[in-house]
Amino acid sequence: AVVSTQSTGERTIEGKLQNLCRLLNENFNGPMKEKLKEWKETADYLDNKHYKEQKRRVEDVKKAVIEAERLKKKVIKKRKTKKQGQLSDAERSKEALLYSHQQFEQHSLRGALLQERAHYCNFINMMTP
């Protein structure tokens, strides 16, 4: 008679572990690899889009600040009241651009957080039997 080194309980546990590993590979690892590639592409796209838009907005803000400073110097130097209206318009324009840039950053951050939430939900769905 051959003596087995494993008890019936140990074989049952080993079988269940093998089944669990097989299920994890089929239902989790495969879909996760596909999702990771998709998530990376989405993140790269969003990063590039954000970078381009942010660069454009920062340039617009810089131009507005330079224009406001130029008009401010003219008003101070020559004490021209005609330029006072242009200066206040330039200041308002600068403030509007800064506010717009802040709103853009908030919107971008909100989008990134929503994307991360979607990743987390997909991950949890993959873990659910």
Side-chain angles (χ1 to χ4, degrees):
V2 177
V3 177
S4 173
T5 58
Q6 288 184 328
S7 69
T8 307
E10 289 172 334
R11 280 181 286 205
T12 303
I13 291 172
E14 183 179 349
K16 287 182 180 182
L17 281 174
Q18 287 174 346
N19 189 36
L20 177 65
C21 289
R22 182 183 55 77
L23 288 172
L24 278 174
N25 277 330
E26 289 175 2
N27 299 320
F28 182 72
N29 290 348
M32 182 56 97
K33 285 179 184 176
E34 293 172 16
K35 287 292 184 183
L36 285 174
K37 182 179 178 186
E38 179 185 319
W39 293 344
K40 185 179 181 331
E41 290 171 356
T42 303
D44 288 345
Y45 170 75
L46 290 174
D47 283 345
N48 287 335
K49 182 179 170 185
H50 179 260
Y51 175 75
K52 288 176 184 176
E53 184 65 20
Q54 183 183 22
K55 187 176 178 182
R56 185 187 67 78
R57 287 178 180 270
V58 166
E59 287 300 316
D60 289 347
V61 168
K62 282 182 182 178
K63 287 177 187 175
V65 167
I66 289 170
E67 179 66 18
E69 288 298 317
R70 185 183 64 79
L71 286 169
K72 189 175 184 179
K73 285 179 184 177
K74 280 186 177 182
V75 167
I76 291 172
K77 185 176 181 182
K78 298 181 180 180
R79 303 217 184 269
K80 291 187 177 181
T81 55
K82 293 177 185 175
K83 296 284 183 184
Q84 194 71 32
Q86 288 178 337
L87 175 61
S88 60
D89 288 345
E91 289 289 334
R92 271 190 246 113
S93 174
K94 178 181 78 170
E95 292 301 320
L97 284 171
L98 286 170
Y99 180 75
S100 173
H101 182 67
Q102 181 184 19
Q103 293 299 311
F104 166 73
E105 288 297 325
Q106 287 177 353
H107 178 73
S108 296
L109 182 59
R110 190 176 298 118
L113 290 172
L114 287 172
Q115 193 68 30
E116 285 301 311
R117 185 186 305 158
H119 294 177
Y120 179 75
C121 290
N122 281 326
F123 179 77
I124 295 302
N125 283 337
M126 286 181 214
M127 297 294 287
T128 306

